Amino acid sequence: TMDPQRLTLAASRAQTPLSIAQCLKLGQTMSTRSLLKNLTFLNRELPVRFSKRIMELRNLPRELRDTEPFMNLIKNYTLSFQELQAYSDNSRLWFLSPNIHLREELELDDNETLQIAIQKEYADLLQTITNRHKQDVVYMAHGISLFKRYQSSRSQPSTEIQRFLNSFNRGRLGIRIMVGHHLALQHQLHTPDEPASSASASASSTAASSSAYLSTPTSAHSTRIGIIEPQCDIEALILNATQSAQFVFFQHYNTVFPPNVHIEHAKEVGGRNIRFPVVPALLHHILFELLKNSMRATAEFHGLDKSSYPDIEVKLSSSADGDLNIRIKDHGGGMPPEQVMKPFNYMFTTASNTVCIDFPSIMTALEKKPERAAIGENLPLCGFGFGLATSKLYARLFGGDLILSSIAGSGTEATIRLRKLEDQIERLEDE
Ligand code: W6P
């Protein structure tokens, strides 16, 4: 049971845009006190953001909303919203009163211990919510595949559904980032000897990580603050994404060796190791999706019987105002102009034959090993066709962009633009 007025009230409030610079600043002066400040922010912000996601789900066409996967989504978002509200109701008493009741209950003797106890409890709640929503993307894909079957006439979801998916995924990602950042900071504060980003850089890392929150393998000398890498080694991240894409390619085509990726620096970037502030998990997702598509296009265009393929060329350059551009160029035959926007549609697939996705068995597998859906959301060979749509969304979320340009008969060039730190501010709306 839920008080509908509380939901409407929360949904009528404005979301506060995240700033990557602010997230970094918070993490640089880490203390129990600054973590509590962030907790207070999330305590206000998360009910607002969850209520807006619930409204978006409720406004869907009945035929989609009433599918079992979407009913599950609504149920999960409602439960999370209620838990956050309940915490908010309780914590208001803690913050305002002298905490007498809680002190007696927990036998706490000082304020520091009390604050740590509050933070532990909130982190546990955020972790529960994170786990609950790990399978959201599979539910969405499943629901839409059922809806498409019902619609039957259309091969792509309608623009209304595309708009919903963009808006919902954008909102969901904002939540994931603020929750992931808080949990990572909490982890770093209370277990400083064991960094949250200790996963090694292995080829199958996108599928294998069991991390609880947004995290992606980085080099050992990581200076990560929460989920942000203030000085990310972009080339190392590209190499890592290349290995992941090549691994997936090789798994898919078995005996065919994937194209190589050649990284080149424009003159203005200077030295080889360009550093740039990013959320590595997001950029890794984008790079992995683009490289995978370029590799597939290259191999299919030149023929699967070839022993080698033209390189995929990656070029890094920075603009005069401090933004970073990453260009990924393939010689995979390109696309005619009328098709160049298609990869950004949800449910887009490059596979020529229609692959039937066995959602019930995916759900069963995920229930046994939920961490498979935890990061990147790209269960590699399942291919929901969300990869490039979400990549563009990820690039745009903090002010950047992802643009495809293509020459039919030749190749395709994808350009990722990332804004400089001060301009990495969350875009709450798009289009
Ligand atoms: C293609 C199609 C595509 C989509 C996204 C990225 C690169 C490429 N190359 O031929």
Side-chain angles (χ1 to χ4, degrees):
T1 60
M2 174 164 59
D3 181 354
Q5 281 190 332
R6 298 202 72 179
L7 184 74
T8 326
L9 180 66
S12 70
R13 297 212 170 102
Q15 304 174 92
T16 308
L18 279 174
S19 139
I20 293 290
Q22 260 175 26
C23 287
L24 270 181
K25 218 160 123 195
L26 173 84
Q28 273 155 351
T29 57
M30 268 308 289
S31 62
T32 306
R33 178 174 286 274
S34 65
L35 201 65
L36 192 67
K37 229 175 94 185
N38 200 44
L39 188 157
T40 311
F41 166 70
L42 291 181
N43 196 28
R44 200 201 73 84
E45 184 70 13
L46 285 175
V48 176
R49 293 199 178 221
F50 270 87
S51 66
K52 288 191 192 286
R53 305 292 84 74
I54 295 169
M55 293 307 182
E56 287 171 334
L57 288 165
R58 285 186 176 183
N59 286 334
L60 281 170
R62 179 180 297 279
E63 296 78 16
L64 180 57
R65 196 183 57 204
D66 288 352
T67 60
E68 196 190 319
F70 272 79
M71 280 172 28
N72 274 322
L73 283 170
I74 293 173
K75 193 186 77 195
N76 286 343
Y77 274 81
T78 306
L79 185 54
S80 297
F81 173 76
Q82 286 170 320
E83 287 175 356
L84 289 161
Q85 285 274 357
Y87 185 91
S88 186
D89 292 346
N90 287 328
S91 65
R92 198 174 309 143
L93 297 175
W94 298 359
F95 294 135
L96 295 180
S97 75
N99 305 310
I100 292 167
H101 299 301
L102 192 77
R103 277 174 196 231
E104 282 171 356
E105 233 171 84
L106 298 176
E107 293 174 358
L108 298 174
D109 50 0
D110 65 85
N111 202 38
E112 173 91 0
T113 320
L114 175 71
Q115 287 190 11
I116 290 172
I118 291 173
Q119 289 174 14
K120 281 240 149 58
E121 190 177 340
Y122 197 62
D124 286 346
L125 172 59
L126 293 185
Q127 192 60 63
T128 302
I129 290 173
T130 301
N131 294 341
R132 178 178 299 138
H133 292 279
K134 271 176 188 166
Q135 301 172 23
D136 282 1
V137 173
V138 186
Y139 282 125
M140 277 188 266
H142 188 194
I144 285 161
S145 80
L146 294 174
F147 181 61
K148 269 169 65 177
R149 211 170 302 166
Y150 162 87
Q151 270 190 324
S152 74
S153 56
R154 288 200 192 92
S155 58
Q156 296 275 330
S158 66
T159 50
E160 183 194 2
I161 305 297
Q162 299 281 348
R163 244 203 303 277
F164 158 78
L165 286 167
N166 268 330
S167 172
F168 188 80
N169 276 319
R170 189 186 311 116
R172 180 174 178 273
L173 184 61
I175 294 172
R176 277 178 73 217
I177 287 172
M178 58 177 74
V179 169
H181 191 58
H182 185 83
L183 283 174
L185 288 177
Q186 167 100 15
H187 184 91
Q188 283 159 12
L189 181 69
H190 292 298
T191 46
D193 297 337
E194 187 196 322
S197 54
S198 57
S200 67
S202 71
S204 58
S205 53
T206 41
S209 171
S210 60
S211 170
Y213 32 78
L214 271 172
S215 129
T216 243
T218 30
S219 47
H221 37 80
S222 160
T223 55
R224 197 174 289 184
I225 291 173
I227 55 161
I228 302 159
E229 182 62 75
Q231 297 205 51
C232 185
D233 182 340
I234 300 297
E235 182 163 350
L237 199 66
I238 294 170
L239 289 173
N240 192 283
T242 298
Q243 288 177 351
S244 303
Q246 287 180 330
F247 177 83
V248 168
F249 178 100
F250 193 71
Q251 272 201 332
H252 186 78
Y253 294 110
N254 289 313
T255 56
V256 187
F257 283 99
N260 285 315
V261 174
H262 179 256
I263 304 176
E264 188 189 326
H265 298 78
K267 278 195 200 75
E268 65 267 36
V269 175
R272 284 193 62 75
N273 276 342
I274 168 152
R275 303 280 174 160
F276 202 80
V278 296
V279 179
L282 297 192
L283 184 54
H284 186 278
H285 173 98
I286 299 169
L287 292 167
F288 171 75
E289 285 299 328
L290 290 175
L291 290 167
K292 210 175 55 169
N293 274 279
S294 282
M295 285 176 195
R296 191 195 297 198
T298 303
E300 301 268 349
F301 181 63
H302 291 270
L304 293 172
D305 54 339
K306 298 294 183 297
S307 59
S308 73
Y309 296 104
D311 283 356
I312 292 160
E313 298 162 52
V314 178
K315 199 165 179 177
L316 300 173
S317 64
S318 58
S319 67
D321 50 6
D323 296 346
L324 177 72
N325 292 304
I326 308 172
R327 272 176 291 172
I328 302 176
K329 182 177 171 184
D330 68 51
H331 301 273
M335 296 168 282
E338 67 271 17
Q339 275 181 34
V340 83
M341 288 307 288
K342 272 201 179 156
F344 293 129
N345 284 340
Y346 289 88
M347 312 301 271
F348 165 82
T349 177
T350 45
S352 44
N353 52 334
T354 312
V355 185
C356 188
I357 302 171
D358 181 6
F359 282 103
S361 65
I362 291 173
M363 295 311 297
T364 311
L366 284 176
E367 270 151 34
K368 287 188 190 130
K369 262 178 122 17
E371 67 274 15
R372 289 241 328 143
I375 64 160
E377 324 221 307
N378 37 41
L379 297 156
L381 293 168
C382 293
F384 297 151
F386 279 32
L388 287 167
T390 52
S391 291
K392 191 172 174 86
L393 200 74
Y394 287 15
R396 292 178 65 84
L397 189 71
F398 290 106
D401 210 347
L402 167 55
I403 290 160
L404 283 186
S405 65
S406 199
I407 299 173
S410 173
T412 301
E413 186 172 273
T415 306
I416 308 162
R417 184 168 79 111
L418 301 175
R419 304 296 297 274
K420 63 173 178 289
L421 181 62
E422 310 88 278
D423 293 340
Q424 290 190 31
I425 293 165
E426 185 182 16
R427 273 188 194 150
L428 291 171
E429 268 149 64
D430 214 0
E431 275 111 29

